[in-house]
Amino acid sequence: MTDSAISPQWLTVPLEDVILRIVGGGTPSKSKPEYYRGKIPWMSVKDMNKHVLQDTVDHISQAAVDNSSTNVIPAGTPIIATRMSLGKIVIADFDSAINQDLKALFLPAEIHRDYLVYWYRSVARKIEQMGTGTTVKGIRLEALKGLEFALPPLPEQKVIADKLDTLLAQVESTKARLERIPKTLKRFRQSVLAAAVSGRLTEEFLASDHDYHRHVDLEIAKDKKLAKIDSPNTDEVEFAKELFESPDWDRWKLYALEQLVESTRGIPYGIVQTGEAQEEGIPTIRCGDVKPLHVETGSLKKVLPAIEEKYRRTRLNGGEVVLAIRGTVGNAAAISEELAAHPLNISREVAMIPVRKNISSQFVAILLQSPGGYRALAEKTKGVAQRGINLSDVKRLVTPLPTLSEQTEIVRRVDQLFAHADRIEQQVNNALARVNNLTQSILSKAFRGELTEQWRKDNQELISGENSAEALLERIKAERAAAAKPKRRKANA
């Protein structure tokens, strides 16, 4: 915002004193769709998302201009929002009609346009705070006209605008580079998961539990339910290898997912009808609560104990994997014993995968969350409005299983690499916060005169006498007095 401690060579005046006129707009009749099939740009608040516009979302015809209260504003004229998007100011590099939520600021010859635009951005937060209204915030024109405007001599306005062009371009460049890093980290995490379940992450690992798969097979053979389940056939295996992009599974063994769970619990979904949310009750994990490799517990729906009691089979004990099978299909997370220390259940949108004690639930979650696991689930996902996957398809997912020692090592390495990525992301977020604050800091310094302090010392002749702010204000007053009433400008269709 404009600081009261400005340079002594400047003046503080109401914004109204440095504006020739303010022109508003209007909306052509929506009952005439032909009005909105023209070629004349028509600006509204939905276009106020950039500093400089190359085009508008909507276009209207010449008839729409002629038969409404809209006005066509010349290219390069600053345009502000007085309803919604308060504090926003844009420049269009083309003539554009505007609607009633926008106002065009026509400037005197001796107010540098870019200086005013930067000044307006510097007081954007103050303008937002001045907005009134409950659902939609607006600001009265009189309030805008009364804003205190920092008025330096014209040569200094130009110098400030040029300095801000350079400094803020550097800030935006830095911000753009920082904003690209989270996308890079997302790709990094995906590549880690892909390497983890393909065998590449631990290709040099020497397992000590060489009899592991024999013990797993023996468990399956001894269990009447598990023994009846077919292992993955050739077609299923080849399709899985294609989805996982040619993995190195030679030292691992492939199972159907349902072969690896507790046979007494199977792979079920949870509570079918959870009822109204309760203040006190049993927390229930829904599909939206299952995030990649973790469960968000902040807003778990609580259900009546009497309802939850009917679904004891899906009550979580710790060591299970939960999988979103409706809506955000594919997100998976392992349930820790700490999370399941108190009663916890799942809804019908979530599948429970109770892997046996000699299988790492964290590894299985990593497998399901990996790019290959996601593609395997996506191949079986059905529906348009409400997408979902059948439990029968989940049960038949081909599950490449390394030895338990290698599963544990994979989980350790993934955790380590993800923690490194998380640290970088936190540093980036902190840097972005500082960069965002830097823009406002630079603007504040500019409109206190701090960016041009040395320039003023070196250029006294450009800020005194006829070049002073006082002389400038008098010329602006004369120009405003001589300005004719604005003529309505119409564009050709």
Side-chain angles (χ1 to χ4, degrees):
M1 58 182 289
T2 304
D3 198 300
S4 58
I6 63 172
S7 165
Q9 291 88 0
W10 294 13
L11 295 177
T12 299
V13 300
L15 177 61
E16 182 178 23
D17 288 358
V18 295
I19 302 292
L20 288 184
R21 66 183 188 275
I22 298 175
V23 176
T27 299
S29 174
K30 295 286 187 178
S31 65
K32 296 193 174 184
E34 65 271 18
Y35 280 177
Y36 293 87
R37 291 197 286 265
K39 296 181 180 180
I40 300 171
W42 181 68
M43 194 185 304
S44 64
V45 290
K46 58 188 171 186
D47 296 299
M48 305 289 285
N49 55 358
K50 295 179 181 178
H51 296 317
V52 179
L53 295 186
Q54 277 75 48
D55 200 0
T56 57
V57 174
D58 298 307
H59 295 77
I60 58 176
S61 67
Q62 183 63 46
V65 175
D66 294 337
N67 293 285
S68 72
S69 58
T70 190
N71 283 291
V72 177
I73 306 302
T77 306
I79 297 172
I80 62 172
T82 55
R83 186 171 176 271
M84 300 182 286
S85 297
L86 297 183
K88 298 288 183 68
I89 184 167
V90 300
I91 300 293
D93 58 10
F94 50 88
D95 293 356
S96 177
I98 60 175
N99 81 348
Q100 66 276 8
D101 297 328
L102 307 182
K103 297 290 184 287
L105 307 181
F106 287 83
L107 307 181
E110 295 191 76
I111 290 295
H112 193 279
R113 185 198 69 182
D114 293 347
Y115 174 84
L116 180 132
V117 169
Y118 280 129
W119 169 83
Y120 198 88
R121 286 174 60 188
S122 78
V123 296
R125 292 177 187 172
K126 181 177 181 179
I127 293 170
E128 283 186 85
Q129 293 167 358
M130 292 167 64
T132 58
T134 50
T135 55
V136 176
K137 294 283 187 181
I139 186 168
R140 294 181 301 107
L141 208 52
E142 291 74 15
L144 278 174
K145 290 177 179 179
L147 286 170
E148 291 185 347
F149 181 78
L151 180 65
L154 180 58
E156 192 170 357
Q157 293 178 39
K158 295 176 181 177
V159 173
I160 290 171
D162 289 344
K163 284 181 176 290
L164 288 175
D165 282 344
T166 301
L167 291 172
L168 296 185
Q170 292 171 351
V171 171
E172 288 301 314
S173 176
T174 300
K175 184 178 178 181
R177 288 198 299 271
L178 288 171
E179 287 176 338
R180 287 195 293 269
I181 294 175
K183 295 178 182 178
T184 302
L185 290 174
K186 183 177 180 180
R187 292 194 297 270
F188 169 75
R189 292 186 181 99
Q190 290 296 299
S191 67
V192 168
L193 293 176
V197 300
S198 69
R200 293 190 296 273
L201 187 63
T202 48
E203 58 187 352
E204 84 297 344
F205 181 76
L206 298 176
S208 56
D209 45 351
H210 302 294
D211 289 338
Y212 174 75
H213 292 116
R214 185 171 64 82
H215 289 304
V216 172
D217 292 342
L218 191 59
E219 282 183 348
I220 293 172
K222 287 182 176 180
D223 189 295
K224 290 182 180 179
K225 289 185 178 179
L226 298 178
K228 295 178 181 178
I229 300 171
D230 293 330
S231 295
N233 59 43
T234 302
D235 289 341
E236 289 174 323
V237 169
E238 289 305 312
F239 188 53
K241 287 182 176 180
E242 181 181 328
L243 293 173
F244 282 85
E245 297 182 343
S246 303
D248 180 14
W249 289 338
D250 291 344
R251 65 186 187 280
W252 298 2
K253 188 161 184 180
L254 305 183
Y255 297 90
L257 183 57
E258 61 181 331
Q259 292 179 292
L260 305 178
V261 303
E262 298 173 14
S263 62
T264 55
R265 301 174 80 190
I267 300 181
Y269 53 70
I271 302 171
V272 175
Q273 292 183 333
T274 55
E276 294 292 326
Q278 305 295 311
E279 288 292 328
E280 299 293 333
I282 308 300
T284 303
I285 298 173
R286 294 171 292 173
C287 64
D289 303 317
V290 185
K291 306 299 181 182
L293 300 181
H294 73 280
V295 174
E296 282 193 356
T297 58
S299 58
L300 295 181
K301 182 179 180 179
K302 294 179 180 179
V303 303
L304 287 169
I307 294 177
E308 191 272 342
E309 181 66 25
K310 300 174 184 177
Y311 293 86
R312 294 177 62 87
R313 180 186 178 192
T314 53
R315 186 179 293 175
L316 300 170
N317 303 318
E320 303 92 348
V321 175
V322 290
L323 173 69
I325 57 173
R326 292 287 181 273
T328 52
V329 176
N331 282 343
I335 301 298
S336 66
E337 291 183 1
E338 181 183 5
L339 184 58
H342 302 286
L344 181 66
N345 215 312
I346 59 175
S347 74
R348 69 176 302 174
E349 308 158 348
V350 177
M352 179 190 72
I353 305 167
V355 293
R356 297 196 297 279
K357 298 298 182 184
N358 61 346
I359 295 166
S360 168
S361 60
Q362 291 171 293
F363 170 77
V364 174
I366 287 171
L367 176 76
L368 294 171
Q369 196 68 58
S370 71
Y374 184 85
R375 283 191 289 268
L377 292 166
E379 283 288 329
K380 302 295 183 179
T381 301
K382 303 174 178 65
V384 179
Q386 177 73 330
R387 294 176 62 75
I389 184 170
N390 293 326
L391 286 181
S392 58
D393 292 319
V394 175
K395 293 174 182 179
R396 291 306 301 170
L397 283 174
V398 174
T399 306
L401 194 68
T403 66
L404 184 57
S405 63
E406 189 170 355
Q407 293 174 45
T408 304
E409 179 64 12
I410 287 170
V411 171
R412 187 191 71 80
R413 294 189 187 187
V414 169
D415 285 346
Q416 186 180 58
L417 291 168
F418 272 35
H420 180 59
D422 290 344
R423 284 193 297 272
I424 294 174
E425 191 161 33
Q426 184 59 54
Q427 291 169 355
V428 168
N429 289 337
N430 292 341
L432 269 172
R434 291 194 296 270
V435 167
N436 287 332
N437 290 332
L438 184 59
T439 297
Q440 195 60 33
S441 175
I442 291 171
L443 289 171
S444 295
K445 287 185 176 183
F447 296 104
R448 288 195 300 263
E450 294 179 21
L451 294 185
T452 45
E453 184 176 359
Q454 186 60 46
W455 181 89
R456 286 193 299 277
K457 292 177 181 178
D458 297 340
N459 296 276
Q460 284 293 316
E461 73 282 1
L462 296 179
I463 60 173
S464 58
E466 287 300 309
N467 293 322
S468 68
E470 290 82 0
L472 170 62
L473 183 59
E474 290 303 316
R475 291 194 295 274
I476 292 173
K477 287 180 179 177
E479 185 178 353
R480 292 183 66 220
K485 291 183 179 180
K487 296 179 181 179
R488 193 169 181 198
R489 181 180 177 189
K490 300 297 182 182
N492 295 320

